[in-house]
Amino acid sequence: MKRGAVTYGSAWALVTGAGSGIGRCYALRLAALGYRLLIAGDRREPLEAVGREIEALGGAEVRICAIDLARTEAARELFDHVQTEGIAVDVLINNAGIFSFCDILATPPERIERIILLHDVTATQLSRLCAADMIRRGVRGHILNMASYSLWMPFPGLALYSASKAYLKSFSVAFAREVGERNIRVTAVCPAGVATDLYGLTPYWQRIGLRLGVLISADSCARRGLKALWRGRRCIVPDWWNRIWIPLCKALPMCVLRPLRRYTMKFQK
């Protein structure tokens, strides 16, 4: 069997933000490994499309939960839904995210709140609820949290996004140490540019980014993320060349960032 594979239909995986991009690829790959799936997101139509795609490929059972995860009570509501459906989650993928490229003073307060709720509060609470249930059942559990390379890039326009992802990475590494002895593995995945619609790039520019090596595909990110999870890695940056730039990103002086900020102001939204 492949690493991470299970007897067909014998285990459940929960993937948030599974309607497109990296979340969709996580769902497809977990289905190929034999998992039954509960896929969650804020829009039912994309989730149903992914469900049909998995069924067409001969995947195991897929259930859908349309839910707004950027709310204080979202994690508890989703976990209650899991329990009501009789699902025992063995793999949790906290993938749902909102990208923000805008100065804090120009960001509406409600958007600040929603991003922090989604990236940090919901992911933390859902990790806690699922880990406690895994421990109670005595199974080997796996939790993957999607952080971001931008946590090493506290640049103008990324203050909110990079800070929320920095929390998620720090939480994941510390939580992994807390529950490691209880047979739970936790991994934070910190990709740089990924060819998805998250950043607002058109398909043309996504293809250009892939050809230049500036972006990686969503499926490549999901494959490397799951590989790190099965191996018990606490934190991973897909693609080695991105890792070598981390010290430079953290050390860029304002004399470099100031003209960069003036140029990027027109892209902020």
Side-chain angles (χ1 to χ4, degrees):
M1 296 176 70
K2 294 182 180 179
R3 188 184 293 270
V6 295
T7 302
Y8 184 84
S10 65
W12 281 94
L14 167 58
V15 183
T16 68
S20 62
I22 304 170
R24 167 184 166 273
C25 294
Y26 276 126
L28 290 170
R29 284 192 165 272
L30 286 165
L33 290 173
Y35 287 89
R36 302 163 80 184
L37 285 162
L38 173 62
I39 53 178
D42 61 349
R43 294 170 55 218
R44 175 169 291 275
E45 292 80 8
L47 295 173
E48 290 176 343
V50 173
R52 290 192 296 270
E53 189 175 1
I54 292 172
E55 290 172 356
L57 294 173
E61 180 182 1
V62 182
R63 298 188 196 178
I64 292 169
C65 180
I67 181 173
D68 180 5
L69 293 168
R71 297 176 298 117
T72 304
E73 63 276 13
R76 170 52 68 178
E77 287 183 7
L78 180 54
F79 187 73
D80 286 347
H81 177 79
V82 165
Q83 301 242 295
T84 301
E85 291 288 308
I87 295 171
V89 176
D90 298 288
V91 177
L92 168 64
I93 309 292
N94 278 313
N95 169 77
I98 303 172
F99 183 68
S100 178
F101 183 50
C102 189
D103 285 5
I104 287 293
L105 293 179
T107 306
E110 59 273 14
R111 184 170 178 80
I112 293 174
E113 183 176 335
R114 284 183 61 81
I115 288 175
I116 293 173
L117 283 170
L118 179 60
H119 292 173
D120 300 337
V121 177
T122 297
T124 298
Q125 295 282 25
L126 203 52
S127 295
R128 177 187 179 276
L129 290 166
C130 289
D133 184 61
M134 294 169 184
I135 292 169
R136 180 186 60 79
R137 291 185 287 119
V139 300
R140 165 168 283 187
H142 294 83
I143 298 173
L144 185 150
N145 293 323
M146 285 300 296
S148 170
Y149 190 83
S150 68
L151 66 91
W152 290 290
M153 301 167 61
F155 299 165
L158 288 173
L160 175 60
Y161 185 77
S162 62
S164 67
K165 292 298 188 176
Y167 165 85
L168 191 55
K169 180 258 185 182
S170 180
F171 163 75
S172 301
V173 172
F175 190 52
R177 291 178 173 139
E178 291 181 359
V179 298
E181 294 182 355
R182 310 291 291 276
N183 221 18
I184 309 296
R185 291 179 173 177
V186 182
T187 298
V189 181
C190 306
V194 183
T196 71
D197 296 332
L198 182 67
Y199 316 114
L201 293 175
T202 64
Y204 171 79
W205 285 110
Q206 290 180 31
R207 290 193 296 270
I208 294 296
L210 286 169
R211 290 173 185 170
L212 294 175
V214 177
L215 304 177
I216 63 173
S217 69
D219 185 62
S220 175
C221 182
R223 175 177 60 82
R224 297 172 194 220
L226 288 175
K227 182 178 179 180
L229 182 64
W230 306 141
R231 291 183 173 182
R233 298 277 300 276
R234 291 172 184 160
C235 180
I236 180 177
V237 177
D239 287 335
W240 63 269
W241 58 84
N242 286 321
R243 297 169 206 155
I244 66 177
W245 296 111
I246 290 175
L248 177 62
C249 289
K250 296 194 295 186
L252 281 177
M254 278 306 299
C255 63
V256 174
L257 292 178
R258 197 170 289 114
L260 180 63
R261 182 178 189 274
R262 285 196 294 268
Y263 173 75
T264 58
M265 281 297 289
K266 60 184 177 182
F267 299 111
Q268 293 199 22
K269 60 181 180 177

